[in-house]
Amino acid sequence: SDFPWLFYSSASNHITNDLANLTLSKEFGEDEHLFIVDSKSLSILNITNTTLITPTKFLTLNDVLHVPNTTQNLVLISQLCQTNRVSIQFLPWNFQIKDLRMRKMLPQGNNEDNLYKLPYFHLFGQINHAIKPPYTKIVAPPPWSSRF
C-alpha cells in the first residue's frame, strides 16, 4: 500500500483502502457501508484478518474492513492492544509498542504532522478468515479528516 497505517481511536474496525493489504480473492455481493464525515457513505467490499510482521512480533489485525474509497489505512488502537496483548505509549514526538506478556519493547514510530504512523511492515492476509460484514459500521470523523 502507498498509504501508511495510522493509529485511530474512534473507528469501529481497522480500515484499509488497499485490497493488497488483505490478499482476498473475492468480493461480497451485499451492500455494506461505512459512514463518515457529513453522513458520507463508503462501500465496504470485504472484511478479513491480516498480520503486521514486525522484526520482533507478529501483530494480528482482526476484522479489517476493505473500503477502497477511504483516504487512509486506520489501526483501531484498542483492538490492536487487546488482540495482541500490547500497550502503546504515545509521546509528543513518537510512540512505543510494548509486549505485555514478554515485557519487551517492540517497534516504535514517529509523530509526523500530528499523526502517529506505524512504520512500514510487510502484511499478509488470511483468505480462510474472510467473512461477510455483519452490519453497517459508523466511524466518527477523524480530527485530521479536513486535511484530505
Side-chain angles (χ1 to χ4, degrees):
S1 172
D2 292 335
F3 298 101
W5 287 82
L6 306 176
F7 286 115
Y8 193 57
S9 61
S10 298
S12 57
N13 287 72
H14 308 295
I15 299 169
T16 184
N17 57 3
D18 189 352
L19 188 59
N21 287 338
L22 304 176
T23 317
L24 292 176
S25 60
K26 65 179 181 177
E27 296 180 0
F28 293 108
E30 301 219 7
D31 196 24
E32 297 289 338
H33 290 86
L34 175 74
F35 291 94
I36 58 170
V37 181
D38 298 329
S39 299
K40 185 176 177 183
S41 173
L42 303 174
S43 293
I44 300 170
L45 298 185
N46 300 285
I47 183 171
T48 191
N49 300 335
T50 195
T51 303
L52 293 169
I53 303 173
T54 76
T56 55
K57 181 180 175 87
F58 286 12
L59 297 173
T60 300
L61 301 181
N62 290 329
D63 301 328
V64 181
L65 303 179
H66 172 222
V67 183
N69 293 325
T70 190
T71 59
Q72 296 295 329
N73 296 313
L74 302 177
V75 174
L76 179 58
I77 297 168
S78 62
Q79 190 178 26
L80 176 74
C81 292
Q82 291 170 9
T83 301
N84 296 282
R85 297 191 186 191
V86 297
S87 66
I88 304 172
Q89 181 180 19
F90 293 97
L91 301 167
W93 299 276
N94 63 10
F95 67 89
Q96 180 75 48
I97 301 174
K98 181 178 181 181
D99 185 322
L100 296 175
R101 286 186 190 157
M102 304 297 287
R103 296 185 178 167
K104 184 177 181 180
M105 298 311 274
L106 300 176
Q108 65 180 19
N110 294 322
N111 177 344
E112 299 174 25
D113 300 321
N114 293 319
L115 299 173
Y116 291 97
K117 298 178 183 179
L118 276 171
Y120 176 77
F121 299 114
H122 177 69
L123 293 148
F124 68 90
Q126 301 170 353
I127 295 171
N128 60 332
H129 287 111
I131 56 173
K132 177 189 172 302
Y135 48 85
T136 300
K137 303 291 181 180
I138 298 174
V139 175
W144 44 260
S145 63
S146 61
R147 295 186 209 175
F148 303 101

